[in-house]
Amino acid sequence: MQEVVLENEYIDIIKKSDYILFNIKADINLETFIIIKNIEYLKNITNMISSNILFDNEIIKKKKVYLIKKDNSIFNIYQSDNFITIEVKTKYKNDFINEYIIEINKIKEKYKIINMKHDNNYSTYYIGEYNSENSYDNYFKMNRYEALKIFKNVISKLSEINSIDEIIDLVDLFYYLYDKEYKLDNKCNVILNMTLF
């Protein structure tokens, strides 16, 4: 099943059974995006898209972003020849929000995993970050073990989505990080040996 929600010179929005494709066909500025975002019948969709993934400085560049809503979580997935970004926001009954961001630089073979927690006013009260490129220089440091647990959790949630293989190859993604970490220590191996596939 496929429904074209919007099709214009800038953006196509296509609804499929398990996800929404937000296809930005040309670079657009913030003003143009705000006009599109405020179209009444699009608000439910445009509110799902993450500004972290959407913006490159103050420009929205040509890209495809996949939006998935499952239970109380919203997933944003973007990949190019050089990068993969996955963001997951989960809202709890008390309106608190847990946010995971996974950024993979395929060229450098480095990655960053971020966990942020927001209260019901969207004030951020916790930030943890693990950066494989400079894991010792980070003020909001998260250890590698916690980072890989988050990554595993995100992969596990994505694996429950029926059409995920149309968006991203989870097996490649899984081994992309774990192959580089596999022999480092026993704590990591506890997680790594819990095979998902």
Side-chain angles (χ1 to χ4, degrees):
M1 180 189 124
Q2 178 172 303
E3 175 194 351
V4 177
V5 179
L6 175 72
E7 195 170 21
N8 65 26
E9 62 185 297
Y10 301 109
I11 295 177
D12 292 340
I13 300 177
I14 300 164
K15 249 187 186 178
K16 298 210 174 183
S17 54
D18 294 313
Y19 64 89
I20 296 165
L21 170 58
F22 201 90
N23 182 23
I24 300 156
K25 297 188 286 191
D27 293 1
I28 58 175
N29 59 31
L30 179 58
E31 292 79 16
T32 304
F33 180 70
I34 287 171
I35 291 166
I36 292 166
K37 184 178 172 66
N38 288 324
I39 297 171
E40 191 58 40
Y41 69 92
L42 294 179
K43 282 186 180 176
N44 285 344
I45 295 171
T46 56
N47 286 339
M48 288 172 59
I49 194 161
S50 165
S51 57
N52 293 331
I53 287 181
L54 195 61
F55 289 99
D56 296 283
N57 297 316
E58 296 193 11
I59 282 275
I60 300 168
K61 292 192 175 171
K62 179 180 175 181
K63 64 179 74 172
K64 291 181 179 179
V65 181
Y66 294 88
L67 309 172
I68 303 162
K69 189 168 186 181
K70 183 167 175 59
D71 302 325
N72 56 346
S73 295
I74 293 172
F75 301 81
N76 282 209
I77 301 171
Y78 161 69
Q79 57 183 323
S80 66
D81 291 339
N82 299 338
F83 296 98
I84 300 170
T85 305
I86 300 169
E87 182 178 300
V88 187
K89 287 183 183 171
T90 303
K91 193 169 192 176
Y92 296 97
K93 287 180 182 175
N94 59 6
D95 288 334
F96 279 54
I97 296 167
N98 188 61
E99 182 174 3
Y100 295 140
I101 301 169
I102 297 169
E103 297 174 353
I104 299 171
N105 184 321
K106 295 192 274 188
I107 303 302
K108 290 185 173 181
E109 297 189 347
K110 300 294 181 184
Y111 63 91
K112 189 190 303 184
I113 295 175
I114 302 165
N115 180 206
M116 292 189 283
K117 298 180 189 296
H118 316 286
D119 66 18
N120 53 4
N121 295 315
Y122 219 83
S123 294
T124 304
Y125 64 90
Y126 170 80
I127 300 174
E129 181 179 317
Y130 177 80
N131 187 332
S132 67
E133 193 164 18
N134 54 353
S135 59
Y136 301 105
D137 297 337
N138 195 335
Y139 182 74
F140 300 108
K141 186 169 168 25
M142 177 195 308
N143 67 48
R144 184 179 68 247
Y145 175 65
E146 287 303 314
L148 291 179
K149 274 198 339 193
I150 287 169
F151 183 75
K152 179 96 177 208
N153 185 17
V154 169
I155 291 283
S156 181
K157 286 182 177 207
L158 286 172
S159 70
E160 296 170 3
I161 296 158
N162 291 331
S163 304
I164 194 63
D165 57 339
E166 294 175 22
I167 300 169
I168 196 164
D169 187 329
L170 291 185
V171 176
D172 282 353
L173 190 63
F174 183 78
Y175 289 110
Y176 196 93
L177 259 67
Y178 282 136
D179 275 355
K180 295 166 184 52
E181 302 289 346
Y182 194 83
K183 296 177 182 177
L184 291 176
D185 63 35
N186 288 331
K187 277 187 175 179
C188 285
N189 287 336
V190 170
I191 299 170
L192 300 172
N193 291 327
M194 293 163 46
T195 307
L196 287 171
F197 307 100

